[in-house]
Amino acid sequence: MNMKKIYNMLLALGMVSFSFLSLTSCSEEEPFSTATEDDSPRILDPIFQDRINGELPVVANINRTDTFAMTLTVTPADYTTVTWYIDGQEVATGTEIKRLLPAGSYPMKVVASTAAGKSTYREGIVRVNPIDGDPWSSGVGFERIVAPGTQAVIYGENLSKVISLSIGEHNVTDIQYDAGTESLRYTVPSDMTPGDYRLTLMDSEGHSYGADKVKVTDEALVTAGASRANANAAWTLSGVNLDQIASLSLGGQTVTTFISLSTTEITVTCPALSDGNYTLTGKTKDGKDVIFFVNGTTAVEQTVAVTSETTLWEGHHYVSWDLPDESPNKKFDLVEKDRFATITAGSTLRIYYSLKADDAYHQMQTVTGWWTLLPGTDKQDLMSDGVLSLVLTQPMLDLIQAQDGFLVVGHGYYVDRVSIQ
């Protein structure tokens, strides 16, 4: 092999080596993004669960002394803007949020968007729990729907510490504490406009505590009493702004004459209908639909069960055998013994109840005034709001008369109604 060929081979090997080194050098550089501003934004982390039965997932469950913190990973990172909303209000921008929140349940939404007008979002609930000793109240039900200028009530714990409360930006000092029901009564400011407002409790030391939301409405809204009625008998519905009602229609019969009418109650004579389920609707004086609070939502009609069932008592009475003997909530004893003297064996006693969600357990017993179990009954574990039906036998009725009446005892629930059929 002559020298010229050897030279050419060495030159070729050198060029290959140079190319290899060049490629190696390029591979050691920092990686670069290939995403562009025209790409659709995506939220990669964290993963938000889907809704369950239409309810948003809980994405954080913390105490009020903890900071709600979350970091989002999005793409294309260089072209995406992240905005955080709590209670529908913008509270932060950027991929991180850190925020202290009062106790309560907060809808949270995070939106990732690009300058090209493309966006995606995730939603969830931030649940902030009170700590031991905090004044605290969560919604039991319809008592959180109120009207301007009217009396309202909240139920909770440690409410004796509260000296004032606020609904949104409106401060309220006209409050009355009831130890028996662990509740506060207050007057809703008359100048409030309809909407949802955060409720805040204040103690004598100037500390404030979250207590979830109140809905202020100017609509005629029926909140209780509309699910059942006795044919051709007085029928009382409760709610807010009920003095606006002009008529109620049930089973094709329209009632325009009322036994009594106020802002919070309307009493009519139920049409003479046979036992069954009927649709109830209503109109206000200015032609609007009457609204009904049904299973936690509002609707313009309500299904009513017309029966021969008679109400013995109706209200919202908390029961806990953990309370001291002198507490009126140690037991439910609000149906007089004399009422049972006229009841015949074979009649069905129904106890309508709702759970106090934050109590550790929920149990019910039906006993005599001496705390003797009624014959054939036992302790009942309660899993959700419902009705306990009890067919009264003659031995039961005899024992109620012999042992100073009828009690409902247990822990962790409210008695809402007692009826007989």
Side-chain angles (χ1 to χ4, degrees):
M1 182 178 295
N2 59 33
M3 291 300 295
K4 186 176 180 180
K5 289 184 177 180
I6 293 172
Y7 174 78
N8 288 336
M9 290 176 62
L10 291 173
L11 181 62
L13 287 171
M15 292 180 66
V16 170
S17 298
F18 176 78
S19 299
F20 175 77
L21 290 172
S22 298
L23 289 171
T24 304
S25 176
C26 288
S27 68
E28 290 174 352
E29 291 181 359
E30 291 295 323
F32 58 90
S33 172
T34 60
T36 73
E37 57 188 326
D38 293 324
D39 290 346
S40 296
R42 289 189 297 153
I43 297 174
L44 304 178
D45 188 67
I47 303 299
F48 282 58
Q49 300 299 316
D50 294 333
R51 288 175 180 256
I52 300 175
N53 297 324
E55 298 294 326
L56 288 173
V58 175
V59 297
N61 193 346
I62 59 177
N63 292 330
R64 71 156 176 86
T65 52
D66 300 329
T67 299
F68 166 56
M70 183 177 287
T71 301
L72 230 60
T73 301
V74 298
T75 187
D78 296 336
Y79 305 103
T80 300
T81 299
V82 176
T83 308
W84 303 80
Y85 299 87
I86 292 179
D87 264 353
Q89 302 295 315
E90 180 179 329
V91 296
T93 57
T95 56
E96 295 185 4
I97 186 173
K98 291 182 179 180
R99 196 169 185 87
L100 275 172
L101 296 168
S105 183
Y106 297 84
M108 185 274 289
K109 182 177 183 179
V110 58
V111 180
S113 56
T114 67
K118 299 177 180 180
S119 67
T120 187
Y121 67 90
R122 299 290 185 270
E123 292 180 287
I125 295 294
V126 178
R127 183 170 295 155
V128 184
N129 304 304
I131 62 174
D132 288 345
D134 279 358
W136 166 244
S137 174
S138 60
V140 173
F142 53 79
E143 85 285 351
R144 289 299 183 103
I145 304 175
V146 300
T150 61
Q151 286 282 312
V153 64
I154 59 172
Y155 301 93
E157 297 178 0
N158 302 310
L159 297 181
S160 60
K161 299 179 180 180
V162 178
I163 63 169
S164 67
L165 57 84
S166 63
I167 308 174
E169 300 299 320
H170 295 72
N171 192 48
V172 179
T173 57
D174 178 19
I175 61 175
Q176 298 87 41
Y177 171 67
D178 185 338
T181 57
E182 190 58 32
S183 65
L184 285 177
R185 296 196 173 273
Y186 65 97
T187 301
V188 182
S190 59
D191 58 345
M192 294 202 69
T193 56
D196 294 335
Y197 297 87
R198 284 280 164 193
L199 187 67
T200 304
L201 310 177
M202 276 74 73
D203 65 16
S204 60
E205 297 178 355
H207 300 138
S208 60
Y209 307 88
D212 270 335
K213 287 186 174 182
V214 169
K215 176 183 283 294
V216 178
T217 182
D218 58 3
E219 295 179 309
L221 175 65
V222 176
T223 57
S227 62
R228 54 197 171 269
N230 294 335
N232 206 31
W235 180 26
T236 299
L237 312 179
S238 302
V240 294
N241 302 312
L242 299 189
D243 55 342
Q244 299 178 15
I245 294 178
S247 66
L248 293 171
S249 297
L250 181 67
Q253 299 190 39
T254 300
V255 178
T256 57
T257 301
F258 312 135
I259 298 172
S260 64
L261 180 65
S262 70
T263 58
T264 57
E265 282 192 350
I266 180 172
T267 300
V268 302
T269 300
C270 177
L273 300 167
S274 57
D275 284 6
N277 293 327
Y278 300 88
T279 298
L280 173 66
T281 60
K283 290 292 183 181
T284 63
K285 296 171 184 176
D286 56 0
K288 295 180 181 178
D289 289 323
V290 174
I291 309 299
F292 301 91
F293 187 72
V294 184
N295 297 326
T297 62
T298 55
V300 296
E301 61 182 39
Q302 162 97 52
T303 299
V304 180
V306 176
T307 69
S308 53
E309 188 176 350
T310 300
T311 298
L312 300 178
W313 180 89
E314 192 162 16
H316 193 63
H317 183 89
Y318 178 61
V319 176
S320 173
W321 49 29
D322 291 348
L323 294 171
D325 290 345
E326 61 270 19
S327 171
N329 296 98
K330 176 82 172 184
K331 58 188 180 299
F332 173 85
D333 59 352
L334 300 176
V335 179
E336 299 85 354
K337 182 177 73 171
D338 291 347
R339 297 295 297 270
F340 287 91
T342 60
I343 295 173
T344 58
S347 300
T348 300
L349 184 76
R350 294 188 176 91
I351 303 164
Y352 295 80
Y353 61 86
S354 54
L355 302 188
K356 191 172 186 294
D358 53 354
D359 276 359
Y361 66 98
H362 315 280
Q363 289 181 338
M364 180 187 294
Q365 285 184 333
T366 50
V367 299
T368 69
W370 296 2
W371 287 64
T372 303
L373 273 173
L374 293 180
T377 68
D378 203 349
K379 184 186 302 179
Q380 299 287 324
D381 290 320
L382 310 178
M383 306 307 295
S384 61
D385 299 352
V387 185
L388 178 68
S389 297
L390 189 64
V391 177
L392 296 174
T393 64
Q394 195 58 53
M396 290 180 182
L397 293 169
D398 291 343
L399 200 60
I400 289 170
Q401 294 301 313
Q403 296 189 0
D404 294 334
F406 169 77
L407 306 179
V408 185
V409 298
H411 177 76
Y413 64 92
Y414 299 89
V415 176
D416 296 319
R417 181 174 181 251
V418 179
S419 70
I420 193 73
Q421 183 176 18

